[in-house]
C-alpha cells in the first residue's frame, strides 16, 4: 500500500524532541532504525563495534541530562520529522571530517558552535516543508541553549544533481540559505560549510 499523502491543510508544528515520539518516527526498519543518529557521534571503530540496539540506547540516554539532542516536527498528532542538533564537540566524526579540515580557519573550533547533523522526514511528508520547519526549530533550540553559531554541512545540488538520500540527510544548500545561513567554505566540491550567527 502506498504511503498516505501529506495533508497540506495540516500545519507543521515543532518542538524539542521527546523520546517516545522520536522512537516512533525512527521505527524498526530503514536507516534511522539502524543509525539512531549516532553516525557522527561514533567515529571509526567505535561505530563498527556498536550494534543498532546500543546506538538506540545511547541516543535515548541523551534525554537524561542537558538539552534535547534535536527537534521534532508534527502534523496534527503525527510525528513527521527529526533534526539532530547538538554542540559540535558531541560529534567527533564531524570535527575530524575532511569538510572541516578543508575549510581551515573558516571553521576553526569556536566556542558555542552547534552542528545540524541530520534530517529524518517521514516518506509521505517529504517535499512539503517539513525540513524547513525542522531547520528553523533547530536554530531556535540551539540558540535557546547557549549556541553562538549554528553550523551545517549541506549538499550543493547544483554540483551534485544525482545526490540521493544517502547524501541529502544533511540537507541542501538551498534549504540552509533560505534559513539565513551563510557559506563559509566550499573547499569540498558539492559540500559546503554554512553558518548562522546568533
Amino acid at each position: 500500500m502506498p504511503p498516505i499523502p501529506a495533508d497540506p491543510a495540516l500545519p507543521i508544528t515543532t518542538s524539542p524532541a521527546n523520546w517516545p515520539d522520536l522512537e516512533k518516527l525512527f521505527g524498526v526498519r530503514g536507516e534511522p532504525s539502524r543509525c539512531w543518529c549516532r553516525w557522527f557521534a561514533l567515529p571509526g571503530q567505535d561505530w563498527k563495534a556498536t550494534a543498532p540496539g546500543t546506538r538506540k540506547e545511547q541516543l535515548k540516554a541523551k534525554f537524561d541530562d542537558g538539552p534535547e539532542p534535536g527537534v521534532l516536527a508534527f502534523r496534527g498528532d503525527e510525528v513527521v520529522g527529526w533534526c539532530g542538533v547538538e554542540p559540535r564537540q558531541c560529534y567527533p566524526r564531524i570535527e575530524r571530517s575532511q569538510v572541516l579540515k578543508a575549510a581551515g580557519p573558516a571553521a576553526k573550533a569556536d566556542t558555542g558552535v552547534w552542528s545540524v547533523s541530520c534530517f529524518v522526514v517521514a516518506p509521505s511528508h517529504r517535499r512539503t516543508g517539513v525540513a524547513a520547519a525542522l531547520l528553523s526549530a533547530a536554530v531556535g533550540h540551539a540558540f535557546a541553549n547557549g549556541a553562538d553559531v549554528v553550523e551545517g554541512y549541506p549538499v550543493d545540488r547544483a554540483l551534485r544533481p544525482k545526490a540521493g538520500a544517502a547524501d541529502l540527510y544533511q540537507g541542501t544548500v538551498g534549504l540552509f540559505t533560505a534559513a539565513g545561513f551563510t557559506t563559509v567554505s566550499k573547499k569540498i566540491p558539492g559540500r559546503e560549510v554554512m553558518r548562522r550567527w546568533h
Side-chain angles (χ1 to χ4, degrees), residues 37-86:
C37 208
R38 298 294 85 200
W39 171 254
F40 293 110
L42 296 168
Q45 294 301 317
D46 292 343
W47 172 263
K48 293 178 182 177
T50 308
T54 302
R55 295 172 195 152
K56 178 179 179 178
E57 290 305 311
Q58 288 178 353
L59 180 57
K60 184 179 180 182
K62 294 291 246 173
F63 289 85
D64 294 337
D65 186 26
E68 298 86 347
V71 295
L72 291 173
F74 299 84
R75 271 201 164 100
D77 294 330
E78 181 185 3
V79 58
V80 297
W82 150 267
C83 178
V85 60
E86 295 186 81

Side-chain angles (χ1 to χ4, degrees), residues 9-20:
L10 283 176
I12 301 166
T13 59
T14 58
S15 70
N18 68 79
W19 177 251

Side-chain angles (χ1 to χ4, degrees), residues 3-168:
I4 298 171
D7 182 354
L10 283 176
I12 301 166
T13 59
T14 58
S15 70
N18 68 79
W19 177 251
D21 283 321
L22 179 57
E23 185 178 29
K24 186 187 304 179
L25 177 68
F26 279 23
V28 296
R29 295 187 195 141
E31 192 55 35
S33 70
R34 292 188 290 273
C35 178
W36 290 99
C37 208
R38 298 294 85 200
W39 171 254
F40 293 110
L42 296 168
Q45 294 301 317
D46 292 343
W47 172 263
K48 293 178 182 177
T50 308
T54 302
R55 295 172 195 152
K56 178 179 179 178
E57 290 305 311
Q58 288 178 353
L59 180 57
K60 184 179 180 182
K62 294 291 246 173
F63 289 85
D64 294 337
D65 186 26
E68 298 86 347
V71 295
L72 291 173
F74 299 84
R75 271 201 164 100
D77 294 330
E78 181 185 3
V79 58
V80 297
W82 150 267
C83 178
V85 60
E86 295 186 81
R88 195 168 78 183
Q89 66 264 25
C90 294
Y91 299 126
R93 195 184 290 265
I94 288 176
E95 292 201 310
R96 300 174 192 173
S97 71
Q98 290 302 313
V99 173
L100 281 189
K101 287 178 182 176
K108 67 182 186 300
D110 296 316
T111 58
V113 177
W114 282 46
S115 292
V116 175
S117 62
C118 69
F119 295 85
V120 174
V121 177
S124 62
H125 292 266
R126 292 174 186 165
R127 299 176 185 249
T128 65
V130 173
L134 284 166
L135 183 54
S136 177
V139 169
H141 181 62
F143 287 159
N145 286 284
D148 297 317
V149 179
V150 181
E151 188 173 79
Y153 320 95
V155 170
D156 184 345
R157 297 198 78 168
L159 295 179
R160 298 177 64 181
K162 296 183 180 179
D167 291 311
L168 297 176

Side-chain angles (χ1 to χ4, degrees), residues 172-190:
T172 65
V173 168
L175 175 70
F176 279 77
T177 299
F181 282 72
T182 301
T183 298
V184 296
S185 173
K186 296 183 177 183
K187 295 293 180 66
I188 301 293

